[in-house]
Amino acid sequence: MGIIKKLEVSHAEGLTYSESFLQNEDLLPVPEDKRTWGYWNFIALWIADSFNINTWMIVSSMVQLGLSWWQAWICVWIGYGLVAPFIVANARPGAIFHVTFPVVARTSFGLWGSLWCVFNRGAMACIWYGVQASIGGTCVLVMLRAMWPSVNNIPNHLPESSGTNTRDFMCFFLFWLISLPAIWFPIHKIRHLFTLKAIVVPIAGITFFIWCIVKAHGVGPIIRQPSTLHGSALGWGMVSSIMSCISNMATLVTNAPDFASRARHPSAAGLPQLISVPIGFSIVSFFGVIVSSSSQAIYGEAVWSPIDLLGKFLDGNPSHATRFGVWFIAASFIIAQLGTNISANSISAGCDLTALMPRFINIRRGGYVAAIVGLCMLPWNLLKSSNSFTSYLSAYSVFLSSIAGVMITDYYVIHKGHYSVKDLYRARRDGWYWYTYGINFRAYAAYISGILINVVGFAGATGRDVPLAATRIYEMSFFTGFGVSALIYYSLNLLFPVRGALECARFEEVDISADEVPVGSEEVQEQDLDKKSIVSEGVRSVRSNA
């Protein structure tokens, strides 16, 4: 019993059994001293997040599909421009009430019903952590080659069944190892990593951009390559490309409250994100297409991966200046991948796993669980069958868009910005979020409906013969999933109104429980705990920040 007690994380004393499953220090509303994210921190977050290898390569699939480079770039602008409002909309509850995604999900799916959504998001964050770490390992290999070329010739001592070799595993493990200290920092302090990344990585990206143009004596032939698609094929090709941008951001739409909960002011999580998302990702995509076009002039083939291109720079007998340049750019990409893995996966997994086991896991411990899972899942084996794995990950946006559809509709349309924060942390039948035994079946009916409309199209994406209409629906999977789930959820709430919805006559972002004495404060601890519900000391401040 003593060992179990030591494994527990910090939480309020006197919790009932059910309350111990609903709260700990990282699940309660963020106290004022930890709301440190200002306008520039959110801008730095998205500038930093946009500079990663996936963004650099996103135009490649569009050009290979048959679009010209400028058509592909327009798709990037539209795609990220469309997804930014969804990020801001879902971040708003976190910025107003200073709670993370797992707690925001309770308002629409119910106290216990939210756990399935949290588990889905947490599991994917763990898988993605390993995948991004594997990509980061390739950056480490290039950086080490720039310093010690003999690294490329390390003999293999691993069996073929391992799916990798000694050299690649060493680089993967080094990236995994250097990521561990970054997980230690809490969310309100990790913003400094994104500030560093927002300074260093763009400098490296611009350097790489100019270097390739100079080396190719121009921008290369891809810039002059016309589109091979025409008519409806061109239209649907652009739609598919736009949706690929949006699908890549579906996970960040869902967990937007995690960072917004640390905002100094709600507006800090609004306009800065709305502007920096499309601008940051579009500029990086432009760098990617120009660099790849230059590579075709240099090597006679387009090299879309910046890491593969840097590796080519090291082939033969590169000069010391070339080796230093490659080292600096590769090291910057390591920082880029590290920042992306922390923002998109480690913190998300930490917040989600905290909600699944609040008695024993906090955000920091959850981040380390994601790192361990990312190592044990042998991500290089998943990346071998890249086509099927990529199709699966893209399809997962359907599940996440349906969750976002329910959450956003509930906040803006059903409850109209009203929260009962104390009911988020207690399992009482008269609470707003108790619904039916802690599960909102309206939300689940809408969630499943948003998935079902895309199921046939997903089967077509995996190689089965399906009607063209189903394929078209699936190509717009984020909007069809979001739209259907939102419509069904709204309709069911008209037929079967939830508790609190009828009382919310107009949109007003306010905590209706803010006037009650919050549990966890000294005042409550001095009184009879049996007569008070346990919430957080930060509840009172929610109304003033709304």
Side-chain angles (χ1 to χ4, degrees):
M1 195 69 179
I3 297 177
I4 294 178
K5 192 70 176 176
K6 288 182 179 180
L7 291 175
E8 292 181 352
V9 299
S10 175
H11 55 75
E13 297 296 330
L15 297 177
T16 65
Y17 185 74
S18 61
E19 286 168 344
S20 68
F21 281 94
L22 291 172
Q23 64 173 284
N24 65 19
E25 186 176 334
D26 283 338
L27 287 172
L28 294 172
V30 177
E32 192 169 356
D33 62 320
K34 293 183 179 179
R35 302 172 196 167
T36 57
W37 283 60
Y39 295 92
W40 287 108
N41 295 122
F42 282 97
I43 292 173
L45 167 67
W46 291 111
I47 292 175
D49 199 67
S50 63
F51 273 90
N52 65 73
I53 294 173
N54 289 339
T55 307
W56 196 276
M57 296 173 59
I58 196 165
V59 175
S60 66
S61 61
M62 304 179 192
V63 172
Q64 291 168 2
L65 186 65
L67 300 180
S68 66
W69 79 270
W70 62 268
Q71 290 170 338
W73 199 41
I74 288 175
C75 292
V76 171
W77 274 103
I78 295 174
Y80 288 106
L82 288 174
V83 81
F86 289 94
I87 293 173
V88 173
N90 207 33
R92 183 71 180 178
I96 292 291
F97 301 101
H98 305 289
V99 290
T100 56
F101 159 69
V103 180
V104 175
R106 292 174 185 175
T107 63
S108 50
F109 284 87
L111 295 177
W112 310 125
S114 63
L115 294 180
W116 171 250
C117 304
V118 171
F119 171 78
N120 272 265
R121 179 67 189 96
M124 282 306 298
C126 292
I127 293 173
W128 265 114
Y129 187 96
V131 171
Q132 292 286 4
S134 183
I135 296 172
T138 63
C139 303
V140 172
L141 173 59
V142 172
M143 187 188 73
L144 293 179
R145 280 187 62 196
M147 293 188 291
W148 304 292
S150 59
V151 167
N152 205 41
N153 302 319
I154 291 177
N156 180 38
H157 298 290
L158 295 176
E160 188 176 347
S161 59
S162 67
T164 186
N165 56 56
T166 302
R167 181 199 65 187
D168 292 348
F169 179 77
M170 177 193 73
C171 295
F172 164 80
F173 186 76
L174 284 174
F175 181 87
W176 183 87
L177 201 62
I178 63 177
S179 300
L180 298 183
I183 299 175
W184 180 265
F185 293 96
I187 298 178
H188 65 283
K189 291 183 178 180
I190 199 63
R191 70 189 192 280
H192 300 306
L193 171 63
F194 303 127
T195 302
L196 171 66
K197 180 181 171 183
I199 296 171
V200 174
V201 182
I203 292 174
I206 294 170
T207 302
F208 195 19
F209 174 76
I210 297 174
W211 189 10
C212 288
I213 292 176
V214 171
K215 197 176 181 70
H217 304 291
V219 293
I222 291 179
I223 297 301
R224 295 181 291 274
Q225 181 177 303
S227 171
T228 59
L229 299 178
H230 304 282
S232 63
L234 174 61
W236 280 106
M238 295 187 72
V239 168
S240 177
S241 299
I242 290 169
M243 295 309 302
S244 68
C245 298
I246 296 174
S247 296
N248 285 338
M249 299 290 285
T251 55
L252 294 167
V253 170
T254 310
N255 75 302
D258 293 343
F259 291 104
S261 65
R262 268 67 180 175
R264 290 196 193 105
H265 308 286
S267 57
L271 190 60
Q273 298 195 97
L274 192 66
I275 294 175
S276 57
V277 169
I279 291 178
F281 283 87
S282 297
I283 290 175
V284 175
S285 298
F286 177 73
F287 285 176
V289 72
I290 296 299
V291 167
S292 299
S293 181
S294 300
S295 71
Q296 186 162 341
I298 300 169
Y299 296 107
E301 62 175 334
V303 182
W304 290 101
S305 169
I307 297 303
D308 291 345
L309 183 56
L310 288 173
K312 281 184 172 292
F313 284 5
L314 295 176
D315 292 340
N317 296 302
S319 65
H320 291 294
T322 296
R323 287 171 59 185
F324 175 77
V326 170
W327 175 86
F328 172 69
I329 296 170
S332 299
F333 271 115
I334 290 173
I335 298 174
Q337 285 301 115
L338 172 62
T340 299
N341 224 6
I342 295 297
S343 64
N345 301 316
S346 171
I347 289 176
S348 299
C351 292
D352 296 339
L353 295 176
T354 295
L356 295 178
M357 295 188 67
R359 185 178 173 187
F360 298 102
I361 297 181
N362 54 22
I363 293 176
R364 178 180 292 159
R365 291 183 183 181
Y368 284 113
V369 169
I372 293 171
V373 173
L375 173 65
C376 295
M377 64 180 250
L378 311 180
W380 50 85
N381 287 329
L382 291 177
L383 293 173
K384 278 182 179 179
S385 54
S386 58
N387 289 334
S388 58
F389 182 64
T390 303
S391 297
Y392 169 72
L393 291 181
S394 298
Y396 206 77
S397 66
V398 173
F399 295 83
L400 298 179
S401 66
S402 297
I403 293 173
V406 171
M407 291 174 62
I408 292 175
T409 303
D410 184 86
Y411 183 74
Y412 290 95
V413 180
I414 305 304
H415 283 111
K416 298 183 178 66
H418 293 69
Y419 259 45
S420 178
V421 174
K422 66 179 174 59
D423 286 338
L424 290 168
Y425 300 99
R426 63 179 188 178
R428 290 179 50 174
R429 294 180 182 275
D430 61 344
W432 271 24
Y433 313 116
W434 178 252
Y435 298 112
T436 305
Y437 299 105
I439 301 173
N440 185 1
F441 292 102
R442 306 165 192 79
Y444 270 93
Y447 165 67
I448 293 171
S449 298
I451 295 171
L452 289 179
I453 194 172
N454 290 293
V455 166
V456 178
F458 172 64
T462 59
R464 292 177 173 81
D465 292 328
V466 299
L468 180 60
T471 301
R472 298 307 189 203
I473 291 173
Y474 178 71
E475 287 176 345
M476 299 185 292
S477 58
F478 182 87
F479 289 113
T480 53
F482 183 96
V484 168
S485 63
L487 180 61
I488 296 296
Y489 187 65
Y490 174 70
S491 301
L492 289 175
N493 275 278
L494 289 180
L495 296 173
F496 311 101
V498 297
R499 183 176 285 113
L502 297 177
E503 291 86 344
C504 306
R506 62 190 178 91
F507 186 84
E508 183 183 11
E509 293 173 307
V510 62
D511 172 22
I512 66 162
S513 65
D515 292 330
E516 296 190 15
V517 179
V519 177
S521 63
E522 293 181 2
E523 183 179 351
V524 170
Q525 292 174 7
E526 292 173 356
Q527 298 178 23
D528 183 6
L529 285 172
D530 292 334
K531 297 179 181 179
K532 302 293 180 181
S533 62
I534 299 177
V535 189
S536 127
E537 192 170 341
V539 172
R540 279 180 173 169
S541 63
V542 170
R543 186 188 294 268
S544 62
N545 284 287

